[in-house]
Amino acid sequence: MHLKFLSLLTMDILYLMIICSVSLAVIFLIIFIVNARNGQFEDDESPAVRMLLDTEIIKEKKESDAKSEENI
């Protein structure tokens, strides 16, 4: 009798865990869809390009500073 109760309790917990995990997955899917519609994931290339352009700007600035010091 006691083992039958434990097996029923175990199955109930399993069903509860399945419901919780599916609910959590649906919540994350809804959050992803809302953010995708708001444009959160549109610009994924410019941070990598910006990093390259920043170093070029710094080099150009140093070169222009060096040229201005030569002219003085």
Side-chain angles (χ1 to χ4, degrees):
M1 184 77 173
H2 186 64
L3 291 175
K4 190 173 185 177
F5 176 72
L6 284 178
S7 67
L8 289 175
L9 183 63
T10 305
M11 290 302 292
D12 288 341
I13 291 174
L14 185 62
Y15 294 143
L16 178 66
M17 289 176 63
I18 290 172
I19 291 171
C20 288
S21 64
V22 169
S23 300
L24 188 62
V26 168
I27 290 170
F28 280 124
L29 180 66
I30 290 171
I31 290 171
F32 174 77
I33 290 172
V34 167
N35 286 329
R37 286 188 178 178
N38 289 338
Q40 180 72 27
F41 306 110
E42 283 183 7
D43 191 18
D44 57 329
E45 192 172 320
S46 72
V49 175
R50 189 179 319 129
M51 180 179 70
L52 296 173
L53 295 177
D54 285 345
T55 57
E56 289 177 8
I57 293 172
I58 292 171
K59 287 179 184 177
E60 290 174 2
K61 185 176 179 183
K62 286 181 181 178
E63 289 174 0
S64 66
D65 288 344
K67 287 180 182 177
S68 65
E69 287 178 6
E70 289 176 1
N71 292 337
I72 295 178

